[in-house]
Amino acid sequence: MAIITTTHLSFPLLLSPYPHHQQQYYPKPNPTVSFRRSIGVRAQGGVDKLGDFGARDPFPAEVASGFADKVLGNGNTEHKILIPNISALSLSQQQCTPLSPFQSPMSTPDAQKLLKKVVGWRLLEEEGGLKLQCLWKLRDFKCGVELINRIYKVVEAAGHYPNIHLEAPNQVRAEIWTASIGGLSMNDFIVAAKIDDIKTSDLVPRKRVWA
C-alpha cells in the first residue's frame, strides 16, 4: 500500500501599502565585479579621467597654460626636513651667549613681549636699567635655603648669575639683569625660564584642607 505525503509550503507575500505601487526587486550589486570592471576600463585607457585613486595627470593644454606656477608647490619643489632653530625652542632650552659691552640693552616693548614666556617674573624700571624680579613665599627659612641651592645649580650651569636675597622669615627674592650693558638681555630671560623649571612644590606652604 503506497503512502502519499503532501507538504504545504507557504511564502509570505510582501505587498506595498500603496495599491498603485508595484513591488520591484533589483539585483544586489556585486562590488567585486564592479571593481574589476573599473580596473579593466582604466587598463584599456577608458573614459575614467580621474585615475586609480582620484588623481590624474594634467592634460597637455593645462601644462601649456602653466597652471602649476599659480599654486603653492610645484612639481619640482624640493622637500627638506628642517631642524628647529633657536627661535623655535623654548627659552629654558636655550643657552646663554657672551655679550659685547657695546651691545644696547633690550627695549621695554621687547622685554614686555618676552615677559609672557616666563612665569612669576615682573619688570623693574630702575636707574640702572630694566631688571627682572621674582618672589617666592616658602614654608619656612630652611625651605628658602634649599631653593637658593637649587637656583645656584641651575645658574652655575648657565654661567649667568642673578642677585638672590633670603628675606626673613620665609621669602626669597631674585633679580636678574645684565650689568655689562646696563639693562636686560636675552640671557636674563633664558635664566629666568630655567629657574621656572625648578621644582618648588615641596618647598611652598601646604594648602589647608578643611574636612
Side-chain angles (χ1 to χ4, degrees):
M1 181 182 214
I3 301 175
I4 299 175
T5 304
T6 303
T7 303
H8 297 279
L9 300 177
S10 60
F11 298 91
L13 180 60
L14 300 177
L15 299 177
S16 172
Y18 304 97
H20 58 280
H21 286 181
Q22 184 179 358
Q23 189 76 17
Q24 295 183 358
Y25 296 92
Y26 298 94
K28 184 177 181 180
N30 188 338
T32 305
V33 176
S34 176
F35 175 75
R36 290 178 179 175
R37 288 180 180 175
S38 63
I39 293 297
V41 172
R42 293 165 187 164
Q44 297 173 8
V47 296
D48 186 1
K49 298 180 180 180
L50 292 180
D52 291 345
F53 298 98
R56 62 172 175 81
D57 294 333
F59 295 117
E62 294 175 336
V63 175
S65 68
F67 75 99
D69 298 334
K70 303 175 183 179
V71 297
L72 182 62
N74 296 326
N76 59 351
T77 300
E78 183 180 2
H79 298 274
K80 295 182 179 180
I81 299 177
L82 300 178
I83 300 175
N85 53 23
I86 293 179
S87 61
L89 299 175
S90 64
L91 287 176
S92 61
Q93 295 175 321
Q94 299 182 31
Q95 303 299 326
C96 296
T97 56
L99 299 177
S100 169
F102 301 103
Q103 178 176 331
S104 300
M106 186 177 297
S107 64
T108 301
D110 291 340
Q112 290 174 344
K113 292 179 182 179
L114 286 175
L115 190 64
K116 300 177 181 179
K117 297 186 177 183
V118 292
V119 182
W121 297 83
R122 66 189 187 98
L123 288 177
L124 290 180
E125 294 188 13
E126 298 184 350
E127 294 182 358
L130 289 176
K131 296 181 180 180
L132 285 176
Q133 184 188 79
C134 188
L135 299 174
W136 291 269
K137 290 288 185 178
L138 306 170
R139 191 164 58 247
D140 50 36
F141 191 83
K142 182 179 179 180
C143 291
V145 175
E146 175 61 25
L147 176 60
I148 292 177
N149 290 333
R150 295 180 186 182
I151 294 176
Y152 170 76
K153 293 179 181 179
V154 170
V155 300
E156 177 70 15
H160 192 65
Y161 302 91
N163 283 0
I164 305 178
H165 307 271
L166 178 58
E167 302 171 341
N170 58 346
Q171 179 172 284
V172 172
R173 174 168 54 91
E175 294 178 353
I176 310 176
W177 76 98
T178 304
S180 60
I181 63 174
L184 291 175
S185 66
M186 180 62 71
N187 290 344
D188 301 311
F189 288 92
I190 291 175
V191 171
K194 291 180 181 294
I195 293 176
D196 285 341
D197 290 343
I198 296 176
K199 178 184 176 182
T200 59
S201 58
D202 58 329
L203 303 178
V204 297
R206 295 186 179 93
K207 294 183 179 180
R208 183 174 301 178
V209 179
W210 300 95

